């Protein structure tokens, strides 16, 4: 997979998770203003990520490029939407779990 495809897949996934969170928490059919801002910010971060070729997920990255306030918001979204991904995109959710475990084991070996 080339880097452009990887960036696009990452942006689609984070946008889906933010939309799921917003729909369930804020009740609208479209994103509320705060969630739209978070989505735009997250897409910008993905577009400018220098580690996209070798990283799997932002949560496993050693460098956190989100501003503290936005980082807390995206964490809240991920905590809510993450477990629900099993119902909406089971293969993506399972792949995330497997790759996260592998990456954490690799990180432990390098320490």
């Amino acid at each position: 997979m080339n880097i452009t495809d990887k960036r696009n897949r990452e942006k689609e996934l984070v946008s889906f998770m933010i939309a799921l969170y917003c729909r369930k928490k804020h009740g609208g059919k479209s994103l509320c203003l705060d969630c739209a801002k978070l989505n735009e910010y997250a897409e910008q971060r993905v577009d400018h990520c220098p580690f996209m070729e070798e990283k799997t997920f932002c949560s496993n990255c050693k460098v956190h490029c989100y501003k503290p306030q936005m980082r807390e918001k995206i964490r809240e979204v991920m905590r809510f939407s993450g477990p629900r991904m099993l119902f909406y995109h089971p293969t993506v959710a399972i792949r995330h779990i497997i790759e996260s475990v592998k990456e954490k084991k690799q990180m432990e070996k390098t320490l």
Side-chain angles (χ1 to χ4, degrees), residues 62-106:
K62 294 175 186 172
V63 177
H64 296 291
C65 60
Y66 279 62
K67 293 176 188 174
Q69 183 182 9
M70 293 301 234
R71 188 171 177 202
E72 192 52 43
K73 284 182 182 180
I74 200 73
R75 273 188 181 158
E76 185 178 332
V77 167
M78 296 300 154
R79 278 189 209 116
F80 179 85
S81 297
R84 288 161 179 83
M85 290 300 287
L86 277 170
F87 300 108
Y88 294 94
H89 289 291
T91 54
V92 171
I94 292 167
R95 191 186 103 237
H96 177 74
I97 292 167
I98 291 168
E99 288 183 14
S100 291
V101 168
K102 282 182 183 178
E103 192 156 330
K104 285 179 184 176
K105 284 181 180 180
Q106 266 186 336

Side-chain angles (χ1 to χ4, degrees), residues 49 51 55 57-64 71 103 107:
C49 178
F51 306 108
K55 78 170 193 160
F57 302 103
C58 292
S59 59
N60 296 336
C61 192
K62 294 175 186 172
V63 177
H64 296 291
R71 188 171 177 202
E103 192 156 330
M107 288 172 65

Side-chain angles (χ1 to χ4, degrees), residues 1 8 16 20 28 44 46 48-49 51 72 86 88 102:
M1 174 182 302
N8 289 336
F16 180 85
L20 175 63
Q44 288 173 355
V46 171
H48 295 95
C49 178
F51 306 108
E72 192 52 43
L86 277 170
Y88 294 94
K102 282 182 183 178

